[in-house]
Amino acid sequence: MDLIEKVKSRQRLTQEEGEALYELDLFTLGELADEIRQEKFGKKSYFNINRHINPTNICADICKFCAYSASRKNPNQYTMSHEEILDIAQNSYNQGAKEMHIVSAHNPNDGVEWYMGAFRKIKEKFPELHVKAMTAAEVDFLHREYGLSYDEVLDMMIENGVDSMPGGGAEIFDEEVREYLCKGKVTSQQWLDIHEKWHNRGRESNATMLFGHVETRAHRIDHMIRLRDLQDKTGGFNAFIPLVYQRDNNFLKVTDYPTGQEILKTYAISRIMLDNIPHLKAYWVTASINLALIAQEFGADDLDGTIEKESIQSAAGAKSSHGMNLDEFVALIRNSGFTPVERDSLYNELRVYE
């Protein structure tokens, strides 16, 4: 059966077939991915009102692609107190935020209670806020630093108010590429194991893939298939987020940066390959808002959220340091021909902007 027919008949694709998708022209890929998107969600584009908090940039690990960590190029180290974190949560809550998205560097100076106490205090003060926190890389760091098992860290997270996990730290699963990018950090299999354990606790998470650096197209397809295999087992991933590598202020000397076409092809292929992960997020922070809006035509049904403030990607050149105004965000989605739908963190619809 021809590849296009196989996609149209919703048959699952192999590694080789996934790689072959990249040889199709952009508009054919877009049509195939858009057909799947419309089957699932019509013209709805999801977003949430959220706030990203990055409480520390002091990191025990060294990743070549990171511009955020203070252990390398960045001399401006900081660690927020729980009071500072709570003040941010209060301000964001007052402005309508429904989710606190909390991702830190791997700070060896402050202990487990600094991490867990922040989540607990937010949840105690704002019980209705959804706390999305702790990447698998952070879970692995606490495991390594303090001799805790993954199960112990995950149970502590739940006890202290964490509702779902973000998908960060996945980068690229290919072991050789990973060794070059972020040696010493959570391994590919550990990342998958941690999310499997989280899903087995009845909790949901996101999955990510960092692309556009030194990986090949084959590595991207392999990454998607590993996620698809775990999703077959657990069903716990609610969204896949292809993150476009940001090239400023880091030690990864990438000269062959992906074109807009390559980025859009990767979105479309993600939608086709990941038949069991419901949502595909065009994270405007790394893709740019303009490309994210176009990605809605290439399989993406979610644009993340208003964010309000973001420090990790903006340190590497993304235009996200101050988030986006809600009215502007809604208008951009509507003007691109889609229906904006405010969602909660688990994709329950809160408001449809007709």
Side-chain angles (χ1 to χ4, degrees), residues 172-241:
I172 280 284
F173 288 149
D174 179 81
E175 280 71 18
E176 283 186 27
V177 176
R178 194 175 191 84
E179 174 100 349
Y180 176 71
L181 288 179
C182 50
K183 185 176 182 178
K185 190 174 171 177
V186 65
T187 68
S188 305
Q189 191 55 53
Q190 287 168 335
W191 189 99
L192 292 163
D193 289 345
I194 289 165
H195 280 265
E196 181 172 1
K197 286 174 178 293
W198 184 251
H199 298 166
N200 288 342
R201 284 163 168 75
R203 302 296 175 118
E204 295 182 21
S205 64
N206 294 159
T208 62
M209 175 182 73
L210 183 70
F211 75 101
H213 42 88
V214 298
E215 90 292 348
T216 64
R217 289 169 164 181
H219 293 145
R220 295 176 205 161
I221 300 298
D222 167 66
H223 189 101
M224 293 174 203
I225 288 174
R226 294 197 209 191
L227 289 173
R228 190 176 72 185
D229 289 347
L230 178 54
Q231 183 74 343
D232 278 344
K233 286 174 72 177
T234 68
F237 291 122
N238 57 32
F240 176 61
I241 312 164

Side-chain angles (χ1 to χ4, degrees), residues 321-333:
S321 58
H322 298 296
M324 190 173 297
N325 173 279
L326 173 62
D327 291 340
E328 181 186 2
F329 203 62
V330 166
L332 284 168
I333 296 171

Side-chain angles (χ1 to χ4, degrees), residues 258-273:
T259 62
Q261 278 205 18
E262 185 73 7
I263 293 167
L264 290 172
K265 277 191 171 188
T266 302
Y267 279 119
I269 290 167
S270 301
R271 180 66 286 167
I272 293 165
M273 292 297 297

